[in-house]
């Protein structure tokens, strides 16, 4: 029996888990910026692309 499936799964997890954490962090940051812009409208003027 070969160990290739276990090795491939380990590499897949090593790529997918940090990517999922990164995407979740980007989503939380976007939500936090939107909440901050709602509190301080001057921020929305400074960053029109966001």
């Amino acid at each position: 029996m070969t160990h290739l499936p276990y090795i491939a799964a380990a590499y897949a997890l090593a790529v997918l888990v940090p990517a999922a954490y990164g995407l979740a962090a980007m989503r939380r940051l976007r939500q936090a910026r939107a909440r901050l812009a709602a509190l301080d409208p001057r921020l929305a003027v400074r960053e029109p692309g966001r």
Side-chain angles (χ1 to χ4, degrees):
M1 183 169 127
T2 180
H3 297 293
L4 186 60
Y6 299 106
I7 295 170
Y11 274 104
L13 286 174
V15 171
L16 294 177
V17 169
Y21 279 128
L23 290 173
M26 286 174 43
R27 190 182 75 222
R28 286 194 317 263
L29 181 61
R30 190 174 300 131
Q31 289 173 347
R33 283 183 176 158
R35 279 189 240 133
L36 181 60
L39 291 174
D40 190 0
R42 292 176 297 173
L43 295 174
V45 175
R46 247 188 272 165
E47 300 181 31
R50 294 189 186 250

